[in-house]
Amino acid sequence: MTQALPQSILFCCDHNAVRSPMAEGIMKKFYGTGTYVQSVGVKNDMEIDGFSIAVCQEMGVELSRHRSRSFDEMEDWGDDLSSFDLVVALSPASQRRALELTRYFHLDVEYWPILDPTGLGETREAKLESYRAARDQIIERLTERWGAGREQA
């Protein structure tokens, strides 16, 4: 059953380099600018992953300008966790961190267990397949939750 889109949503994962930037980019493409969408990681110790950029480019989502940031940096950038209607954690570590940080706010935190494709596959093509699987899991969760986006028809 699809629900109304939240006013604002924060996707989070471990490094803000693979899963959460993909979710942010795909969400913006499917549902437009009516929802404020950001992404963040538990740590910011990696740049955006090249395979993430590649598999999102296949569907017209541009991630190459994404700059990774952590929960701590998010506040420095002027985004307050309490201003988000929904936090979607895409990894167990980010779910723990989001729940820690939201103890003081009435905030919905959902956990979507999305495959971590890093380190999977030996060849470039096998790696791309793993990243596509993660991307497709994100698309599946988005459309289960909010229906077919305008770019999917």
Side-chain angles (χ1 to χ4, degrees):
M1 160 109 179
T2 60
Q3 300 171 356
L5 286 164
Q7 293 277 292
S8 55
I9 184 168
L10 179 68
F11 291 103
C12 54
C13 65
D14 294 351
H15 304 280
N16 193 219
V18 178
R19 290 168 286 182
S20 58
M22 285 203 283
E24 177 186 350
I26 294 167
M27 176 96 188
K28 286 175 177 171
K29 180 172 174 70
F30 283 4
Y31 306 107
T33 54
T35 298
Y36 179 68
V37 185
Q38 288 294 311
S39 66
V40 71
V42 175
K43 299 189 284 282
N44 166 23
D45 54 358
M46 297 168 76
E47 282 303 306
I48 179 81
D49 187 290
F51 289 108
S52 294
I53 294 171
V55 300
C56 283
Q57 251 169 356
E58 293 173 350
M59 56 180 293
V61 172
E62 179 54 57
L63 293 185
S64 62
R65 288 189 299 277
H66 177 80
R67 293 292 161 258
S68 300
R69 62 185 184 155
S70 66
F71 278 105
D72 297 337
E73 287 170 311
M74 185 178 83
E75 291 181 8
D76 299 342
W77 289 27
D79 270 327
D80 188 350
L81 201 60
S82 62
S83 65
F84 289 94
D85 296 323
L86 176 63
V87 177
V88 176
L90 306 173
S91 69
S94 66
Q95 180 191 26
R96 281 193 299 277
R97 183 83 168 112
L99 289 171
E100 254 169 52
L101 292 169
T102 57
R103 274 194 311 238
Y104 308 108
F105 312 119
H106 179 70
L107 243 184
D108 287 334
V109 176
E110 287 184 14
Y111 174 54
W112 296 0
I114 302 297
L115 167 81
D116 179 359
T118 57
L120 297 177
E122 294 296 311
T123 64
R124 176 174 170 75
E125 195 47 49
K127 287 180 186 305
L128 284 169
E129 282 305 312
S130 298
Y131 280 76
R132 286 182 192 116
R135 176 198 66 196
D136 294 347
Q137 283 181 348
I138 291 166
I139 291 169
E140 198 176 298
R141 294 306 288 254
L142 288 171
T143 52
E144 271 172 22
R145 183 72 195 271
W146 294 298
R150 57 179 192 188
E151 290 285 338
Q152 291 168 273

